[in-house]
Amino acid sequence: MLCVHGVLPSVINILLYKQLSFVLLVRVTLRYVISIIYITMARIRLTKIFTFEMAHILEGYKGLCSNMHGHSYIMHVTISGEPNADASSPTYGMVMDFKDLKSIVNEEIVGRLDHSLMVRAGSEAAKRVEGLSERIVVVDYQPTCENMVTDFANRIMAKLPVNVQLCTVRLYETATSFAEWHAEDN
């Protein structure tokens, strides 16, 4: 597809779209080609922020966190991808619709965990709270911020479209403490 990008008094910039992976920019004057430059399609990062309230118990931990306690979690989810290059599409220019990312995270994490109690399977705490509420979440790991952020990243990655990559998940347990999962580290 050929489209005129901009017109200057004696120079016309023309974008020739070749595949989705690059753009060929040709700058011409009335008589000759001045330059040809390959431009990589921009990879864009999107971040959506989520909040939920959850309690947990770190059984066996030597400190206050061995008691049932809660947090107001804040989670930043960052994805990346190339914007849709199909000018005829209503999602032209989008990497992913924010509402689709919100649906994935709400289904996999927030909807399951908001106002719940998370305990480790097989722990004494899990046995004590069994049947206490329908909002008990039993996991196969010690429910630390580090283990949760890894679990959440895996859950989100499994649901993303193939052209979208998960970059980071940052999980704030308090206003000044967070664990962060980075794709480049895993």
Side-chain angles (χ1 to χ4, degrees):
M1 169 167 73
L2 176 69
C3 62
V4 175
H5 178 60
V7 178
L8 299 174
S10 64
V11 177
I12 299 173
N13 291 323
I14 301 172
L15 294 177
L16 300 171
Y17 291 93
K18 303 276 188 178
Q19 303 174 4
L20 291 177
S21 60
F22 67 90
V23 175
L24 176 64
L25 174 64
V26 180
R27 176 170 266 183
V28 298
T29 64
L30 298 174
R31 297 197 173 137
Y32 56 92
V33 172
I34 294 174
S35 61
I36 298 175
I37 306 165
Y38 284 98
I39 301 173
T40 304
M41 290 294 280
R43 285 196 65 81
I44 303 295
R45 290 183 183 208
L46 304 178
T47 300
K48 183 134 182 72
I49 301 171
F50 301 87
T51 61
F52 60 97
E53 309 296 325
M54 189 187 80
H56 64 159
I57 300 170
L58 301 181
E59 190 167 304
Y61 179 75
K62 303 293 184 227
L64 291 175
C65 293
S66 64
N67 297 301
M68 184 186 327
H69 65 286
H71 298 282
S72 295
Y73 288 94
I74 300 172
M75 182 171 60
H76 296 219
V77 176
T78 302
I79 59 169
S80 72
E82 291 179 1
N84 181 350
D86 180 359
S88 66
S89 171
T91 61
Y92 174 56
M94 287 185 184
V95 171
M96 181 178 190
D97 192 319
F98 280 110
K99 76 173 176 47
D100 295 335
L101 180 57
K102 180 180 177 180
S103 292
I104 290 169
V105 175
N106 282 339
E107 179 182 314
E108 291 298 314
I109 299 155
V110 177
R112 291 178 52 242
L113 300 181
D114 193 32
H115 287 83
S116 71
L117 168 62
M118 183 181 281
V119 294
R120 185 177 188 175
S123 67
E124 285 301 313
K127 293 172 191 166
R128 286 193 311 269
V129 299
E130 185 178 357
L132 196 65
S133 166
E134 58 188 52
R135 301 291 294 178
I136 305 294
V137 177
V138 180
V139 293
D140 62 355
Y141 53 81
Q142 179 80 314
T144 63
C145 194
E146 297 89 339
N147 286 333
M148 286 189 283
V149 77
T150 301
D151 178 31
F152 299 170
N154 289 328
R155 289 175 183 275
I156 295 165
M157 276 190 301
K159 298 292 184 169
L160 289 175
V162 294
N163 61 324
V164 175
Q165 292 76 44
L166 182 62
C167 295
T168 60
V169 178
R170 177 182 286 185
L171 182 63
Y172 283 87
E173 193 167 80
T174 69
T176 60
S177 304
F178 64 87
E180 195 166 41
W181 178 96
H182 285 272
E184 62 203 31
D185 297 337
N186 292 284

